[in-house]
PDB file of all heavy atoms in Angstrom:
ATOM      1  N   SER A  62     -70.044  15.487 -46.536  1.00  0.00           N
ATOM      2  CA  SER A  62     -69.215  16.264 -45.620  1.00  0.00           C
ATOM      3  C   SER A  62     -69.921  17.522 -45.108  1.00  0.00           C
ATOM      4  O   SER A  62     -69.485  18.090 -44.078  1.00  0.00           O
ATOM      5  CB  SER A  62     -67.897  16.655 -46.249  1.00  0.00           C
ATOM      6  OG  SER A  62     -68.118  17.359 -47.450  1.00  0.00           O
ATOM      7  N   PHE A  63     -70.971  17.947 -45.740  1.00  0.00           N
ATOM      8  CA  PHE A  63     -71.669  19.179 -45.282  1.00  0.00           C
ATOM      9  C   PHE A  63     -73.158  19.098 -45.594  1.00  0.00           C
ATOM     10  O   PHE A  63     -73.534  18.548 -46.662  1.00  0.00           O
ATOM     11  CB  PHE A  63     -71.070  20.406 -45.997  1.00  0.00           C
ATOM     12  CG  PHE A  63     -71.699  21.704 -45.545  1.00  0.00           C
ATOM     13  CD1 PHE A  63     -71.280  22.340 -44.426  1.00  0.00           C
ATOM     14  CD2 PHE A  63     -72.734  22.262 -46.260  1.00  0.00           C
ATOM     15  CE1 PHE A  63     -71.836  23.542 -43.978  1.00  0.00           C
ATOM     16  CE2 PHE A  63     -73.336  23.457 -45.859  1.00  0.00           C
ATOM     17  CZ  PHE A  63     -72.897  24.064 -44.693  1.00  0.00           C
ATOM     18  N   TYR A  64     -73.944  19.610 -44.704  1.00  0.00           N
ATOM     19  CA  TYR A  64     -75.408  19.695 -44.918  1.00  0.00           C
ATOM     20  C   TYR A  64     -75.954  20.868 -44.119  1.00  0.00           C
ATOM     21  O   TYR A  64     -75.555  21.081 -42.991  1.00  0.00           O
ATOM     22  CB  TYR A  64     -76.141  18.420 -44.511  1.00  0.00           C
ATOM     23  CG  TYR A  64     -77.613  18.476 -44.772  1.00  0.00           C
ATOM     24  CD1 TYR A  64     -78.150  18.247 -46.011  1.00  0.00           C
ATOM     25  CD2 TYR A  64     -78.493  18.767 -43.708  1.00  0.00           C
ATOM     26  CE1 TYR A  64     -79.509  18.357 -46.263  1.00  0.00           C
ATOM     27  CE2 TYR A  64     -79.861  18.884 -43.932  1.00  0.00           C
ATOM     28  CZ  TYR A  64     -80.366  18.652 -45.168  1.00  0.00           C
ATOM     29  OH  TYR A  64     -81.712  18.748 -45.413  1.00  0.00           O
ATOM     30  N   ALA A  65     -76.852  21.628 -44.741  1.00  0.00           N
ATOM     31  CA  ALA A  65     -77.515  22.721 -44.017  1.00  0.00           C
ATOM     32  C   ALA A  65     -78.983  22.741 -44.351  1.00  0.00           C
ATOM     33  O   ALA A  65     -79.397  22.432 -45.487  1.00  0.00           O
ATOM     34  CB  ALA A  65     -76.857  24.022 -44.384  1.00  0.00           C
ATOM     35  N   GLU A  66     -79.766  23.131 -43.391  1.00  0.00           N
ATOM     36  CA  GLU A  66     -81.167  23.315 -43.578  1.00  0.00           C
ATOM     37  C   GLU A  66     -81.597  24.499 -42.714  1.00  0.00           C
ATOM     38  O   GLU A  66     -81.399  24.491 -41.501  1.00  0.00           O
ATOM     39  CB  GLU A  66     -81.938  22.040 -43.181  1.00  0.00           C
ATOM     40  CG  GLU A  66     -83.396  22.078 -43.581  1.00  0.00           C
ATOM     41  CD  GLU A  66     -84.076  20.724 -43.401  1.00  0.00           C
ATOM     42  OE1 GLU A  66     -83.501  19.698 -43.828  1.00  0.00           O
ATOM     43  OE2 GLU A  66     -85.165  20.697 -42.800  1.00  0.00           O
ATOM     44  N   ASN A  67     -82.162  25.499 -43.350  1.00  0.00           N
ATOM     45  CA  ASN A  67     -82.496  26.744 -42.664  1.00  0.00           C
ATOM     46  C   ASN A  67     -81.277  27.304 -42.003  1.00  0.00           C
ATOM     47  O   ASN A  67     -80.288  27.555 -42.659  1.00  0.00           O
ATOM     48  CB  ASN A  67     -83.672  26.519 -41.719  1.00  0.00           C
ATOM     49  CG  ASN A  67     -84.921  26.066 -42.423  1.00  0.00           C
ATOM     50  OD1 ASN A  67     -85.255  26.547 -43.501  1.00  0.00           O
ATOM     51  ND2 ASN A  67     -85.611  25.075 -41.866  1.00  0.00           N
ATOM     52  N   ASN A  68     -81.311  27.520 -40.699  1.00  0.00           N
ATOM     53  CA  ASN A  68     -80.186  28.097 -39.966  1.00  0.00           C
ATOM     54  C   ASN A  68     -79.313  27.076 -39.245  1.00  0.00           C
ATOM     55  O   ASN A  68     -78.492  27.473 -38.438  1.00  0.00           O
ATOM     56  CB  ASN A  68     -80.724  29.116 -38.955  1.00  0.00           C
ATOM     57  CG  ASN A  68     -81.264  30.387 -39.621  1.00  0.00           C
ATOM     58  OD1 ASN A  68     -80.806  30.764 -40.677  1.00  0.00           O
ATOM     59  ND2 ASN A  68     -82.266  30.909 -38.998  1.00  0.00           N
ATOM     60  N   VAL A  69     -79.479  25.822 -39.571  1.00  0.00           N
ATOM     61  CA  VAL A  69     -78.678  24.747 -38.921  1.00  0.00           C
ATOM     62  C   VAL A  69     -77.794  24.062 -39.968  1.00  0.00           C
ATOM     63  O   VAL A  69     -78.315  23.647 -41.034  1.00  0.00           O
ATOM     64  CB  VAL A  69     -79.606  23.701 -38.279  1.00  0.00           C
ATOM     65  CG1 VAL A  69     -78.826  22.593 -37.679  1.00  0.00           C
ATOM     66  CG2 VAL A  69     -80.482  24.383 -37.197  1.00  0.00           C
ATOM     67  N   ALA A  70     -76.533  23.989 -39.670  1.00  0.00           N
ATOM     68  CA  ALA A  70     -75.585  23.342 -40.578  1.00  0.00           C
ATOM     69  C   ALA A  70     -74.735  22.356 -39.783  1.00  0.00           C
ATOM     70  O   ALA A  70     -74.409  22.609 -38.611  1.00  0.00           O
ATOM     71  CB  ALA A  70     -74.698  24.364 -41.270  1.00  0.00           C
ATOM     72  N   THR A  71     -74.375  21.259 -40.436  1.00  0.00           N
ATOM     73  CA  THR A  71     -73.446  20.325 -39.830  1.00  0.00           C
ATOM     74  C   THR A  71     -72.403  19.951 -40.872  1.00  0.00           C
ATOM     75  O   THR A  71     -72.640  20.005 -42.080  1.00  0.00           O
ATOM     76  CB  THR A  71     -74.143  19.048 -39.372  1.00  0.00           C
ATOM     77  OG1 THR A  71     -74.767  18.385 -40.456  1.00  0.00           O
ATOM     78  CG2 THR A  71     -75.180  19.324 -38.256  1.00  0.00           C
ATOM     79  N   ALA A  72     -71.239  19.570 -40.370  1.00  0.00           N
ATOM     80  CA  ALA A  72     -70.133  19.160 -41.267  1.00  0.00           C
ATOM     81  C   ALA A  72     -69.344  18.125 -40.505  1.00  0.00           C
ATOM     82  O   ALA A  72     -69.343  18.078 -39.255  1.00  0.00           O
ATOM     83  CB  ALA A  72     -69.278  20.331 -41.653  1.00  0.00           C
ATOM     84  N   GLY A  73     -68.643  17.260 -41.234  1.00  0.00           N
ATOM     85  CA  GLY A  73     -67.839  16.257 -40.577  1.00  0.00           C
ATOM     86  C   GLY A  73     -66.444  16.220 -41.105  1.00  0.00           C
ATOM     87  O   GLY A  73     -66.187  16.574 -42.252  1.00  0.00           O
ATOM     88  N   GLY A  74     -65.567  15.840 -40.225  1.00  0.00           N
ATOM     89  CA  GLY A  74     -64.139  15.688 -40.629  1.00  0.00           C
ATOM     90  C   GLY A  74     -63.294  16.874 -40.387  1.00  0.00           C
ATOM     91  O   GLY A  74     -63.751  17.897 -39.850  1.00  0.00           O
ATOM     92  N   CYS A  75     -62.058  16.766 -40.825  1.00  0.00           N
ATOM     93  CA  CYS A  75     -61.090  17.824 -40.499  1.00  0.00           C
ATOM     94  C   CYS A  75     -61.331  19.150 -41.196  1.00  0.00           C
ATOM     95  O   CYS A  75     -60.821  20.186 -40.766  1.00  0.00           O
ATOM     96  CB  CYS A  75     -59.674  17.293 -40.793  1.00  0.00           C
ATOM     97  SG  CYS A  75     -59.372  16.933 -42.518  1.00  0.00           S
ATOM     98  N   LEU A  76     -62.080  19.187 -42.265  1.00  0.00           N
ATOM     99  CA  LEU A  76     -62.410  20.414 -42.920  1.00  0.00           C
ATOM    100  C   LEU A  76     -63.746  21.028 -42.521  1.00  0.00           C
ATOM    101  O   LEU A  76     -64.171  22.046 -43.055  1.00  0.00           O
ATOM    102  CB  LEU A  76     -62.432  20.211 -44.467  1.00  0.00           C
ATOM    103  CG  LEU A  76     -61.087  19.779 -45.077  1.00  0.00           C
ATOM    104  CD1 LEU A  76     -61.228  19.532 -46.560  1.00  0.00           C
ATOM    105  CD2 LEU A  76     -59.996  20.806 -44.795  1.00  0.00           C
ATOM    106  N   SER A  77     -64.366  20.429 -41.526  1.00  0.00           N
ATOM    107  CA  SER A  77     -65.724  20.882 -41.117  1.00  0.00           C
ATOM    108  C   SER A  77     -65.708  22.334 -40.680  1.00  0.00           C
ATOM    109  O   SER A  77     -66.669  23.079 -41.047  1.00  0.00           O
ATOM    110  CB  SER A  77     -66.289  19.983 -40.050  1.00  0.00           C
ATOM    111  OG  SER A  77     -65.482  19.997 -38.904  1.00  0.00           O
ATOM    112  N   SER A  78     -64.743  22.784 -39.938  1.00  0.00           N
ATOM    113  CA  SER A  78     -64.759  24.190 -39.494  1.00  0.00           C
ATOM    114  C   SER A  78     -64.645  25.139 -40.656  1.00  0.00           C
ATOM    115  O   SER A  78     -65.271  26.213 -40.651  1.00  0.00           O
ATOM    116  CB  SER A  78     -63.675  24.412 -38.450  1.00  0.00           C
ATOM    117  OG  SER A  78     -62.373  24.256 -39.035  1.00  0.00           O
ATOM    118  N   HIS A  79     -63.897  24.753 -41.658  1.00  0.00           N
ATOM    119  CA  HIS A  79     -63.798  25.630 -42.861  1.00  0.00           C
ATOM    120  C   HIS A  79     -65.067  25.681 -43.604  1.00  0.00           C
ATOM    121  O   HIS A  79     -65.513  26.767 -44.073  1.00  0.00           O
ATOM    122  CB  HIS A  79     -62.663  25.166 -43.782  1.00  0.00           C
ATOM    123  CG  HIS A  79     -61.304  25.317 -43.128  1.00  0.00           C
ATOM    124  ND1 HIS A  79     -60.191  24.668 -43.616  1.00  0.00           N
ATOM    125  CD2 HIS A  79     -60.892  26.049 -42.108  1.00  0.00           C
ATOM    126  CE1 HIS A  79     -59.154  24.978 -42.888  1.00  0.00           C
ATOM    127  NE2 HIS A  79     -59.548  25.801 -41.932  1.00  0.00           N
ATOM    128  N   TYR A  80     -65.740  24.553 -43.775  1.00  0.00           N
ATOM    129  CA  TYR A  80     -67.031  24.533 -44.474  1.00  0.00           C
ATOM    130  C   TYR A  80     -68.079  25.316 -43.711  1.00  0.00           C
ATOM    131  O   TYR A  80     -68.839  26.123 -44.285  1.00  0.00           O
ATOM    132  CB  TYR A  80     -67.506  23.071 -44.649  1.00  0.00           C
ATOM    133  CG  TYR A  80     -66.715  22.238 -45.553  1.00  0.00           C
ATOM    134  CD1 TYR A  80     -66.804  20.876 -45.536  1.00  0.00           C
ATOM    135  CD2 TYR A  80     -65.778  22.798 -46.456  1.00  0.00           C
ATOM    136  CE1 TYR A  80     -66.042  20.069 -46.373  1.00  0.00           C
ATOM    137  CE2 TYR A  80     -64.992  21.988 -47.303  1.00  0.00           C
ATOM    138  CZ  TYR A  80     -65.141  20.623 -47.264  1.00  0.00           C
ATOM    139  OH  TYR A  80     -64.386  19.824 -48.060  1.00  0.00           O
ATOM    140  N   LEU A  81     -68.125  25.151 -42.379  1.00  0.00           N
ATOM    141  CA  LEU A  81     -69.090  25.878 -41.619  1.00  0.00           C
ATOM    142  C   LEU A  81     -68.831  27.387 -41.630  1.00  0.00           C
ATOM    143  O   LEU A  81     -69.765  28.168 -41.801  1.00  0.00           O
ATOM    144  CB  LEU A  81     -69.094  25.347 -40.166  1.00  0.00           C
ATOM    145  CG  LEU A  81     -69.636  23.930 -39.996  1.00  0.00           C
ATOM    146  CD1 LEU A  81     -69.304  23.398 -38.625  1.00  0.00           C
ATOM    147  CD2 LEU A  81     -71.144  23.894 -40.255  1.00  0.00           C
ATOM    148  N   ALA A  82     -67.581  27.767 -41.503  1.00  0.00           N
ATOM    149  CA  ALA A  82     -67.218  29.176 -41.535  1.00  0.00           C
ATOM    150  C   ALA A  82     -67.565  29.775 -42.925  1.00  0.00           C
ATOM    151  O   ALA A  82     -68.150  30.885 -42.987  1.00  0.00           O
ATOM    152  CB  ALA A  82     -65.747  29.387 -41.241  1.00  0.00           C
ATOM    153  N   ALA A  83     -67.218  29.081 -43.982  1.00  0.00           N
ATOM    154  CA  ALA A  83     -67.555  29.576 -45.353  1.00  0.00           C
ATOM    155  C   ALA A  83     -69.058  29.716 -45.533  1.00  0.00           C
ATOM    156  O   ALA A  83     -69.556  30.701 -46.118  1.00  0.00           O
ATOM    157  CB  ALA A  83     -66.975  28.629 -46.380  1.00  0.00           C
ATOM    158  N   TRP A  84     -69.837  28.779 -44.992  1.00  0.00           N
ATOM    159  CA  TRP A  84     -71.309  28.833 -45.121  1.00  0.00           C
ATOM    160  C   TRP A  84     -71.867  30.077 -44.393  1.00  0.00           C
ATOM    161  O   TRP A  84     -72.698  30.782 -44.944  1.00  0.00           O
ATOM    162  CB  TRP A  84     -71.904  27.553 -44.547  1.00  0.00           C
ATOM    163  CG  TRP A  84     -73.388  27.500 -44.544  1.00  0.00           C
ATOM    164  CD1 TRP A  84     -74.216  27.314 -45.616  1.00  0.00           C
ATOM    165  CD2 TRP A  84     -74.232  27.613 -43.393  1.00  0.00           C
ATOM    166  NE1 TRP A  84     -75.545  27.282 -45.161  1.00  0.00           N
ATOM    167  CE2 TRP A  84     -75.572  27.452 -43.805  1.00  0.00           C
ATOM    168  CE3 TRP A  84     -73.989  27.787 -42.036  1.00  0.00           C
ATOM    169  CZ2 TRP A  84     -76.667  27.537 -42.946  1.00  0.00           C
ATOM    170  CZ3 TRP A  84     -75.062  27.842 -41.165  1.00  0.00           C
ATOM    171  CH2 TRP A  84     -76.373  27.712 -41.620  1.00  0.00           C
ATOM    172  N   VAL A  85     -71.360  30.291 -43.186  1.00  0.00           N
ATOM    173  CA  VAL A  85     -71.798  31.457 -42.403  1.00  0.00           C
ATOM    174  C   VAL A  85     -71.453  32.763 -43.138  1.00  0.00           C
ATOM    175  O   VAL A  85     -72.262  33.657 -43.306  1.00  0.00           O
ATOM    176  CB  VAL A  85     -71.253  31.445 -40.980  1.00  0.00           C
ATOM    177  CG1 VAL A  85     -71.488  32.784 -40.271  1.00  0.00           C
ATOM    178  CG2 VAL A  85     -71.856  30.305 -40.180  1.00  0.00           C
ATOM    179  N   ILE A  86     -70.186  32.849 -43.596  1.00  0.00           N
ATOM    180  CA  ILE A  86     -69.738  34.077 -44.282  1.00  0.00           C
ATOM    181  C   ILE A  86     -70.582  34.271 -45.564  1.00  0.00           C
ATOM    182  O   ILE A  86     -71.015  35.400 -45.847  1.00  0.00           O
ATOM    183  CB  ILE A  86     -68.247  34.004 -44.619  1.00  0.00           C
ATOM    184  CG1 ILE A  86     -67.463  34.025 -43.306  1.00  0.00           C
ATOM    185  CG2 ILE A  86     -67.853  35.144 -45.538  1.00  0.00           C
ATOM    186  CD1 ILE A  86     -66.001  33.656 -43.467  1.00  0.00           C
ATOM    187  N   ALA A  87     -70.816  33.219 -46.322  1.00  0.00           N
ATOM    188  CA  ALA A  87     -71.584  33.334 -47.559  1.00  0.00           C
ATOM    189  C   ALA A  87     -72.988  33.807 -47.284  1.00  0.00           C
ATOM    190  O   ALA A  87     -73.533  34.579 -48.003  1.00  0.00           O
ATOM    191  CB  ALA A  87     -71.575  31.992 -48.307  1.00  0.00           C
TER     192      ALA A  87
END
Side-chain angles (χ1 to χ4, degrees):
S62 56
F63 182 84
Y64 180 80
E66 190 170 313
N67 299 317
N68 290 327
V69 176
T71 61
C75 62
L76 297 176
S77 60
S78 63
H79 294 162
Y80 294 162
L81 292 166
W84 177 75
V85 169
I86 293 167

